[in-house]
Amino acid sequence: MERVRELLKAHVARAYAPYSGFPVVALVEAEGEFFLGVNVENASFPLSQCAERNAVAAMVLAGKHRLDRVHVYSPKGPIPPCGGCRQVLLEFGTPDTPILLHGPEGYVERTLGELLPWAFRL
């Protein structure tokens, strides 16, 4: 776990958050590999991209389609993914997928099902 926390902390500075001042880095574990993403804001807020979705995009680009675990870090404290990211994570995970919410002092673990209890499924 300490290796993952160090990766998260090392990459949070790469987030592009000039408008909110709220940098976020996400790491998804998929089939034994790690994929990172950071939030990328835009002056037109709806065009901003969340760290979680960017990490999932990197995972898919690598040919992986099953989430094993998700880590989200912000120096502002443990924060959960937004609703849209929760739905995207469920596309590649299950309600039992562990979601670890990291902050400077430690982390809190939840499942995706706890964070998205009434998920949309086809």
Side-chain angles (χ1 to χ4, degrees), residues 3-88:
R3 176 177 173 231
V4 169
R5 287 186 56 76
E6 291 305 317
L7 275 171
L8 293 166
K9 289 178 181 180
H11 287 85
V12 74
R14 295 187 180 179
Y16 182 73
Y19 306 105
S20 71
F22 204 96
V24 178
V25 61
L27 180 148
V28 297
E29 295 181 40
E31 301 173 43
E33 295 184 44
F34 292 167
F35 301 94
L36 288 163
V38 296
N39 59 323
V40 179
E41 293 182 350
N42 187 278
S44 176
F45 279 150
L47 299 178
S48 297
Q49 299 169 316
C50 295
E52 298 88 341
R53 282 184 258 177
N54 285 333
V56 167
M59 175 193 80
V60 171
L61 180 61
K64 308 296 183 190
H65 295 100
R66 190 191 79 241
L67 286 175
D68 297 323
R69 184 175 295 124
V70 178
H71 303 264
V72 181
Y73 174 81
S74 176
K76 305 282 185 175
I79 52 116
C82 72
C85 285
R86 295 174 197 196
Q87 188 65 50
V88 169

